[in-house]
Amino acid sequence: MSDTAPADWDPRSPKVLDNQIQAYDEMRHRCPVAYSDYLLWSLFRHEDVMRALTDHETFSNGASRHLSIPNAMDPPEHTPYRRIVEKYFTQEHIDEFEPVCRANTEALFDDLPPEGDIEVMSALAQPFAVRNQCAFMGWPDSLREPLRQWIGKNHRATRAGDRQAMSKIALEFDGYISEQLILRREAGEEAPPDATTRLLHEKVEGRWLSDEEIVSIIRNWTVGELGTIAASVGILIHYLAAHPELQEALRQGHENLPEAIDEILRIHAPLISNRRITTRAVTIGGREIPAGERLSVIWASANRDEDVFGDPDEFQPQRNRDNNLLYGAGLHVCPGAPLARLELQVFMETLLAKVRHIELSPDTTPERAQFPASGFASLPVRVQRG
């Protein structure tokens, strides 16, 4: 381990936390492979991140301290679990969920005032993510608020590096899901045919999934879904409010909406990073990294690399589409991408149809989220309903 490696930066300094995107841009130029006491090694360039994503023999996903299926697994262990997870995000399942997602989204907008100021994260982003996650998994409405609060507690414990608190919070989540599994087992053939019930009937290598494995799979879905979808909604609304010409072009159908969503989220990433661990000594970006070292692939920087995208703030969805790492790359590309894309498209279609104009509030400044979260902690905007 790098016990004696000098720190190249401080990921928890006020300057970094106040504007993560800007700070990572600076690191990409100053020290693209950097060491810190908090994140250990971090990769900022698109080229280096792609290398870590595609060379799983050198950069292992087994960087989690607890069971994490299939995110923290490598082939061949990863392969059968990945096959199970992918079945839940087929086009058939996405099409089946679309009307439910649309109804949830329209209900949220119908509750908005006809005009005036709203706080996006609490009024739209978080409720949107929680409602749709509960609906997709078949969970009761009573879980919405506990899950919303759980995500906040998880982020705070992760940022503080408080492993005792993180373990306690993980057990809290496990309790929510274990209760849902018990209810479905007790219901027997009367259990609802939802995603949670279907997981009880999955086998891996000839045996039933254990409850621990099911909870781990669901935890990965839920953390990714709630945190990044809520962050994505805030980022999308902020960008449209700051770019009224694009807002109107999308409303009039003059831009491809799915491509625009992906490009906005390239410019401002909803997910900051993922972890890897080196299986052998490696030289990357001119730095010597020993075996067994933990590192972070910084999506929020790699997707703004000038060597790949030119001006990182220039809105060029078609030009940047093929190199966009919004949903990752390689063996661990996000299996839930089809669901995320559906949800964000439905949200934006509903926003553009039901809101005539949206702008940043002139009275209150947005508050940026801090690592490990991205986007905004609070986002006041002014809306005019159609």
Side-chain angles (χ1 to χ4, degrees):
M1 300 298 290
S2 299
D3 295 331
T4 60
D8 299 305
W9 69 307
D10 180 4
R12 291 186 284 186
S13 71
K15 180 181 178 181
V16 172
L17 294 179
D18 285 348
N19 191 332
Q20 294 183 83
I21 303 300
Q22 179 178 307
Y24 301 150
D25 283 350
E26 292 175 358
M27 286 302 299
R28 189 171 60 252
H29 296 108
R30 182 174 72 80
C31 188
V33 178
Y35 183 82
S36 69
D37 296 333
Y38 180 50
L39 292 182
L40 304 184
W41 294 98
S42 296
L43 308 181
F44 292 94
R45 294 188 306 193
H46 192 280
E47 176 186 1
D48 296 333
V49 166
M50 280 298 297
R51 181 177 171 190
L53 299 181
T54 54
D55 181 3
H56 63 266
E57 293 183 354
T58 303
F59 301 93
S60 167
N61 258 54
S64 178
R65 292 183 172 87
H66 57 77
L67 183 65
S68 181
I69 300 174
N71 301 36
M73 291 177 167
D74 299 312
E77 182 185 33
H78 167 268
T79 306
Y81 290 102
R82 174 75 185 207
R83 289 196 189 109
I84 291 173
V85 170
E86 286 177 340
K87 293 191 300 184
Y88 289 77
F89 301 102
T90 63
Q91 194 59 51
E92 179 184 358
H93 286 309
I94 301 306
D95 290 344
E96 180 182 320
F97 183 63
E98 190 272 341
V100 178
C101 179
R102 196 170 295 279
N104 280 337
T105 309
E106 290 181 351
L108 272 176
F109 278 91
D110 289 343
D111 289 340
L112 292 181
E115 62 180 26
D117 291 353
I118 63 167
E119 200 289 293
V120 167
M121 302 311 295
S122 59
L124 285 175
Q126 293 170 357
F128 172 79
V130 172
R131 283 191 188 195
N132 283 303
Q133 176 67 1
C134 286
F136 186 77
M137 298 303 300
W139 298 340
D141 294 350
S142 59
L143 264 182
R144 291 176 181 175
E145 183 57 21
L147 286 174
R148 189 189 68 80
Q149 294 187 17
W150 182 86
I151 290 294
K153 287 187 285 187
N154 190 50
H155 279 158
R156 288 191 292 273
T158 302
R159 184 168 64 246
D162 187 338
R163 291 179 185 167
Q164 183 176 358
M166 290 165 68
S167 296
K168 182 179 179 181
I169 290 164
L171 286 174
E172 179 184 335
F173 179 86
D174 293 357
Y176 294 142
I177 306 310
S178 295
E179 181 181 5
Q180 295 303 309
L181 300 182
I182 291 169
L183 289 172
R184 283 158 175 76
R185 285 198 176 98
E186 291 177 345
E189 294 183 359
E190 301 300 317
D194 54 38
T196 305
T197 300
R198 292 199 302 274
L199 279 167
L200 288 170
H201 303 287
E202 296 287 2
K203 288 185 175 182
V204 59
E205 298 181 336
R207 63 168 180 81
W208 301 110
L209 287 176
S210 69
D211 279 12
E212 183 184 17
E213 289 170 323
I214 294 172
V215 169
S216 176
I217 290 169
I218 294 175
R219 187 193 302 116
N220 279 326
W221 288 358
T222 303
V223 174
E225 175 76 6
L226 298 185
T228 57
I229 291 295
S232 294
V233 167
I235 291 165
L236 290 167
I237 290 182
H238 180 269
Y239 196 89
L240 293 191
H243 297 82
E245 70 291 344
L246 177 61
Q247 180 185 154
E248 192 55 29
L250 290 170
R251 192 174 281 111
Q252 299 300 324
H254 297 155
E255 290 278 356
N256 181 289
L257 182 58
E259 288 185 354
I261 292 170
D262 283 4
E263 176 68 349
I264 293 168
L265 298 178
R266 177 199 65 77
I267 294 170
H268 187 163
L271 178 65
I272 294 295
S273 66
N274 279 134
R275 294 174 295 178
R276 296 292 189 272
I277 189 167
T278 54
T279 62
R280 54 196 176 196
V282 61
T283 302
I284 187 166
R287 304 294 295 268
E288 301 288 337
I289 302 179
E293 291 284 84
R294 294 178 178 271
L295 55 82
S296 297
V297 293
I298 308 293
W299 310 110
S301 172
N303 248 358
R304 293 174 54 82
D305 191 331
E306 293 84 353
D307 288 343
V308 177
F309 302 105
D311 180 351
D313 291 308
E314 186 178 359
F315 180 83
Q316 291 287 347
Q318 293 185 338
R319 183 189 71 189
N320 296 328
R321 177 180 54 207
D322 293 342
N323 292 310
N324 192 339
L325 296 176
L326 175 60
Y327 294 103
L331 288 169
H332 293 278
V333 64
C334 178
L339 176 62
R341 284 195 160 106
L342 167 76
E343 290 179 341
L344 295 175
Q345 181 170 341
V346 167
F347 182 88
M348 290 285 277
E349 287 172 351
T350 308
L351 170 72
L352 295 167
K354 290 184 173 287
V355 176
R356 186 172 71 252
H357 183 69
I358 186 165
E359 63 186 34
L360 296 174
S361 173
D363 304 320
T364 313
T365 302
E367 179 186 352
R368 295 180 184 273
Q370 295 189 350
F371 186 90
S374 185
F376 299 91
S378 68
L379 177 59
V381 299
R382 182 160 294 174
V383 299
Q384 295 176 4
R385 295 278 300 278

